[in-house]
Amino acid sequence: MDSLLQEISKCAVCRKQLPLGPRPIVSADSESKIVIIGQAPGSKVHETGIPWDDKSGENLRDWLGVAKETFYNPTKIALIPMGFCYPGLGKSGDLPPTKECAPLWHNPLLEEMKKVKLTILIGQYAQNYYLGNRMKKTLTETVKNFETYLPDYFVLPHPSPRNNIWQARNPWFREQVLVRLRQEIKNQDL
């Protein structure tokens, strides 16, 4: 695993399309019990080099019901984005993750992690990649039907503060999905 992570840290496959240059950000260990597959680092995460080191990360840790120490312990939780580098800013937020990283790096990483019991897919990019035509018509429907994908995957929307309105419109998310998510996390005995 160490040599794979070293190789990933030097990756520059999509250098030309990255406004701030390559800085692959991933955290994993061969002992990881949970894998969180997100979108791509934001500009703050690119700056610090720490995955989920922003408001979205705070929200995600709250959703999971885990402390920072647990969240950032790669023997417990692996943090793998769809695109490993900051993709740049678009009209209404960050650009989508680059498409090169997941096909290049996900399988080698996942093959090194033999103790994974739960994989969490955050947002439409991760869900589309891993669920394909098993996704529902919308992200809301996919998340509402989260039990359909268990035990292989637990699906979540992105924890961005931009999604607070979505959460307010969908109270079932907190009442059902997050309650079950925290139960699944507790079952992993982190």
Side-chain angles (χ1 to χ4, degrees):
M1 178 64 89
D2 290 341
S3 61
L4 177 58
L5 290 171
Q6 280 286 28
E7 190 178 348
I8 291 170
S9 74
K10 297 174 186 170
C11 182
V13 169
C14 47
R15 172 186 302 273
K16 291 180 183 176
Q17 59 187 314
L18 300 173
L20 301 180
R23 185 174 191 186
I25 297 172
V26 61
S27 175
D29 189 276
S30 57
E31 299 292 313
S32 299
K33 294 179 178 79
I34 295 174
V35 174
I36 298 175
I37 300 177
Q39 293 184 171
S43 59
K44 181 177 183 212
V45 170
H46 175 86
E47 185 180 306
T48 66
I50 302 168
W52 295 98
D53 184 27
D54 54 16
K55 186 64 178 163
S56 295
E58 289 176 31
N59 290 342
L60 179 57
R61 288 186 292 278
D62 177 58
W63 288 2
L64 298 169
V66 298
K68 257 184 159 177
E69 297 76 31
T70 300
F71 186 78
Y72 287 116
N73 181 339
T75 64
K76 297 176 189 266
I77 299 176
L79 304 170
I80 304 173
M82 289 300 295
F84 288 20
C85 299
Y86 173 62
L89 191 61
K91 290 181 183 178
S92 62
D94 292 341
L95 291 170
T98 56
K99 296 183 180 189
E100 294 83 357
C101 297
L104 187 61
W105 299 116
H106 280 207
N107 279 344
L109 280 165
L110 295 172
E111 286 172 10
E112 290 287 328
M113 295 183 279
K114 308 283 190 221
K115 297 183 178 183
V116 172
K117 302 289 185 207
L118 179 64
T119 300
I120 300 170
L121 303 176
I122 296 179
Q124 67 177 350
Y125 300 108
Q127 291 165 18
N128 187 47
Y129 188 81
Y130 282 93
L131 302 178
N133 63 7
R134 294 188 304 155
M135 282 180 64
K136 305 296 180 194
K137 289 183 181 181
T138 66
L139 179 91
T140 299
E141 287 180 50
T142 300
V143 173
K144 197 170 208 172
N145 289 282
F146 71 97
E147 290 178 323
T148 304
Y149 309 105
L150 290 170
D152 297 328
Y153 301 111
F154 203 109
V155 296
L156 294 173
H158 195 281
S160 167
R162 292 174 182 251
N163 285 339
N164 287 343
I165 294 170
W166 181 89
Q167 287 182 64
R169 288 185 187 148
N170 297 285
W172 52 265
F173 177 69
R174 281 207 175 271
E175 296 162 3
Q176 297 168 19
V177 179
L178 292 187
V179 168
R180 180 67 183 273
L181 175 64
R182 289 177 181 149
Q183 183 180 34
E184 292 290 328
I185 298 294
K186 280 185 183 177
N187 291 342
Q188 303 315 312
D189 197 27
L190 300 176

